[in-house]
Amino acid sequence: MEKVYIENISNFSGTEVTIKGWLYNKRSSGKLWFLLIRDGTGMIQAVVSKGDVDEESFNNCEAITQESSLMVKGLVNPDKRAPGGYELHTKKLEIIQIAEDYPITPKEHGTTFLMDHRHLWLRSSRQYAILRVRQEIIKACRDYLDGEGFVLLDTPIFTPAACEGTTTLFETDYFGSKAYLTQSGQLYNEANAMAFGKVYCFGPTFRAEKSKTRRHLTEFWMVEPEVAFFDLNDNMDLAEEMVIYVVQQVLKNKSEELKTLERDTTFLEKVSKPFPRITYDEAAEILKDKGVDFEWGNDFGGTDETIISENFEKPVFIHHFPSKMKAFYMKRDPENENLALGCDLIAPEGYGEIIGGGQREDNLETIERRLEEDKLPRESFEWYIDLRKYGTVPHSGFGMGIERAVSWICKLPHVRETIPFPRMLYRITP
Ligand code: 4AD
Ligand code: MG
């Protein structure tokens, strides 16, 4: 008798199998017990009939509690009414351990309580669905870029300098000198792109964000492609194609999970070419028309992004930002020094920015001047300056925040559920 995973149960119809897992829920009607069992790959209902099992197995049904670990042997029976299409006609039920007073019960719990028990909350079917979608999104990003010939090159986590401004750096001691946790792999990606043409990195990034919003984590994962000889438009084309591929893969491969999450997929199905592309000025105009008190030159806040996105059914690019609000590395519009060749992608349904990127400054003197203007320590950037000395070319790239993408695609109220153990302003445990 084989130990099988619930996800493969359809291959074992009519045969006897063993399943090892945990009790999700149970109910009884006299001589019958219905046990809902999960094993990490899926759920199945085990039907235990008094006449079919030994006395101990039947008594175990009475004794077993939510999240107790168990082993069950039985016959796989097709049943149209059962979720997943199969039931287990139980022959034997062994308890591995009784879970006493499992804190998360089927009743409603508050968010703080659930977050304090995140290590256990992960076992719920909702979290299961979200995190499987997360995996699909990550896989789709990788598959897309790998398929397009991008080389995956991991960038360092310990860095000597800031990429995205000095105000959100996490500082750490590095054998007596200062090091910072990376905010973005971009600068190293630029070096990698000059060596390999099209590259990407995918890893954790860190920002000491004091923002307590539904979109901010202090540790989040980012996929960042960077391409030599790409301009701003090429960059938007790439981001558009990657996002379309990601959404299609989730719709195709994670439909059950989206159902569990009661995700209405109408808007996801509309994610197709072309995404509207508007300038910062046009976006500001939209805000003005809607009566928002918005000052030119400021960054869009979360609510601003939501309002802008309401004008569109698809993700929308905003490009050509005021240069003052953008990082030192962003190329200025050759026609207008006050504008930077950046592009952000704003998700529909009020989810705000999921991608940030743009064309990079490729001129040696300009990058040297910018570093000075931004008071960044030149010695930490010598290597970066070298990239403009030795065969500089136009190049562009972007970063997509995985948690923002998961939040949007699953339509979650908060980014905290998009990663197993979220790190936020007021939370570093469990
Ligand atoms: O717009 P950002 O800051 O861009 C960069 O870091 C570029 N250096 C990337 C590049 O061009 N290679 O961040 C990119 C994305 C955002 O659009 C957002 O999705 C996500 O990273 N992000 C966050 N996600 C969760 N919590 C936070 N605190 C985030 N900050 C940025
Ligand atoms: Mg940004």
Side-chain angles (χ1 to χ4, degrees):
M1 198 179 310
E2 264 179 283
K3 180 215 174 240
V4 303
Y5 285 112
I6 295 170
E7 66 180 351
N8 300 327
I9 208 75
S10 62
N11 301 336
F12 298 90
S13 185
T15 63
E16 221 168 88
V17 299
T18 298
I19 287 171
K20 296 179 180 182
W22 297 264
L23 184 76
Y24 198 69
N25 221 330
K26 69 173 188 182
R27 65 191 165 87
S28 88
S29 68
K31 292 192 164 103
L32 281 179
W33 276 100
F34 301 96
L35 310 179
L36 196 55
I37 292 167
R38 58 168 198 91
D39 74 346
T41 74
M43 289 238 208
I44 193 165
Q45 176 163 277
V47 184
V48 191
S49 164
K50 190 160 190 175
D52 292 348
V53 294
D54 55 73
E55 204 180 328
E56 194 190 343
S57 291
F58 199 76
N59 292 341
N60 278 345
C61 294
E62 181 70 48
I64 199 164
T65 53
Q66 188 192 349
E67 286 307 322
S68 291
S69 42
L70 58 85
M71 200 166 79
V72 59
K73 287 179 191 174
L75 191 69
V76 180
N77 237 20
D79 186 330
K80 285 208 181 70
R81 294 158 306 170
Y86 294 88
E87 265 188 355
L88 200 67
H89 278 210
T90 308
K91 298 277 162 69
K92 196 170 176 59
L93 175 77
E94 276 176 43
I95 295 175
I96 299 171
Q97 191 225 10
I98 286 281
E100 275 178 58
D101 302 323
Y102 186 70
I104 304 177
T105 55
K107 71 161 200 203
E108 289 269 312
H109 293 284
T111 305
T112 308
F113 179 86
L114 289 171
M115 289 301 290
D116 286 343
H117 294 85
R118 184 65 179 162
H119 51 296
L120 302 177
W121 190 20
L122 290 174
R123 302 180 188 192
S124 80
S125 53
R126 176 183 161 84
Q127 300 310 314
Y128 178 81
I130 295 169
L131 294 170
R132 301 265 292 197
V133 172
R134 177 190 170 97
Q135 186 203 6
E136 187 70 34
I137 291 172
I138 293 171
K139 182 177 181 323
C141 290
R142 287 183 177 283
D143 286 350
Y144 176 78
L145 294 169
D146 292 348
E148 293 293 312
F150 281 69
V151 183
L152 171 69
L153 292 163
D154 303 308
T155 50
I157 309 267
F158 282 131
T159 60
C163 175
E164 295 299 326
T166 47
T167 53
T168 61
L169 281 176
F170 275 114
E171 190 181 304
T172 168
D173 172 69
Y174 197 76
F175 307 113
S177 61
K178 277 182 194 169
Y180 308 99
L181 299 184
T182 185
Q183 298 164 308
S184 158
Q186 180 195 320
L187 305 183
Y188 296 94
N189 253 349
E190 289 183 53
N192 291 338
M194 296 307 130
F196 293 80
K198 327 183 241 190
V199 302
Y200 72 103
C201 63
F202 173 62
T205 48
F206 307 86
R207 297 202 193 165
E209 304 259 19
K210 297 254 162 63
S211 344
K212 202 173 164 255
T213 76
R214 62 197 176 92
R215 296 173 188 173
H216 286 90
L217 296 169
T218 53
E219 179 181 304
F220 60 97
W221 287 66
M222 205 173 6
V223 59
E224 297 180 84
E226 188 77 28
V227 191
F229 301 103
F230 249 35
D231 67 12
L232 180 65
N233 280 318
D234 299 328
N235 200 40
M236 288 194 270
D237 291 344
L238 176 69
E240 181 177 284
E241 278 181 20
M242 190 181 92
V243 168
I244 291 170
Y245 183 78
V246 166
V247 170
Q248 280 174 351
Q249 289 303 105
V250 173
L251 285 173
K252 192 168 100 192
N253 302 324
K254 290 291 172 276
S255 58
E256 278 306 313
E257 284 78 0
L258 294 177
K259 253 184 239 151
T260 302
L261 298 169
E262 297 174 2
R263 172 53 156 138
D264 174 355
T265 56
T266 317
F267 280 94
L268 293 181
E269 276 147 29
K270 288 184 181 155
V271 176
S272 58
K273 266 187 185 192
F275 294 173
R277 298 178 184 189
I278 62 172
T279 62
Y280 173 93
D281 285 3
E282 288 166 329
E285 206 52 42
I286 292 175
L287 291 177
K288 226 182 84 194
D289 287 348
K290 301 221 168 146
V292 180
D293 183 21
F294 180 78
E295 200 180 321
W296 196 93
N298 283 352
D299 207 347
F300 300 119
T303 342
D304 299 328
E305 287 172 355
T306 299
I307 293 170
I308 295 164
S309 74
E310 278 164 3
N311 259 27
F312 305 93
E313 290 196 322
K314 293 185 192 182
V316 53
F317 283 107
I318 304 178
H319 57 90
H320 282 84
F321 293 87
S323 28
K324 266 205 234 98
M325 62 183 261
K326 289 295 181 184
F328 74 97
Y329 57 69
M330 203 173 271
K331 190 173 175 65
R332 273 35 172 177
D333 183 349
E335 326 252 282
N336 181 353
E337 263 296 295
N338 297 322
L339 296 178
L341 301 181
C343 58
D344 282 0
L345 185 68
I346 311 296
E349 301 176 85
Y351 278 87
E353 182 193 327
I354 53 167
I355 283 180
Q359 191 167 338
R360 322 303 190 189
E361 181 53 67
D362 48 350
N363 180 275
L364 175 62
E365 288 74 35
T366 315
I367 209 83
E368 286 177 319
R369 199 182 66 236
R370 292 264 175 66
L371 285 166
E372 236 168 71
E373 284 168 2
D374 281 16
K375 299 193 176 60
L376 292 164
R378 183 174 168 127
E379 48 311 343
S380 311
F381 287 94
E382 284 300 348
W383 66 271
Y384 186 73
I385 294 168
D386 273 357
L387 305 175
R388 277 75 184 160
K389 277 189 198 160
Y390 305 114
T392 188
V393 300
H395 61 287
S396 305
F398 65 85
M400 181 172 91
I402 294 295
E403 291 75 18
R404 296 265 182 99
V406 177
S407 207
W408 160 50
I409 291 175
C410 294
K411 202 167 181 181
L412 306 179
H414 198 291
V415 77
R416 67 184 154 231
E417 288 178 80
T418 61
I419 185 165
F421 295 98
R423 295 291 171 248
M424 295 178 291
L425 183 52
Y426 296 116
R427 181 165 296 276
I428 193 168
T429 49

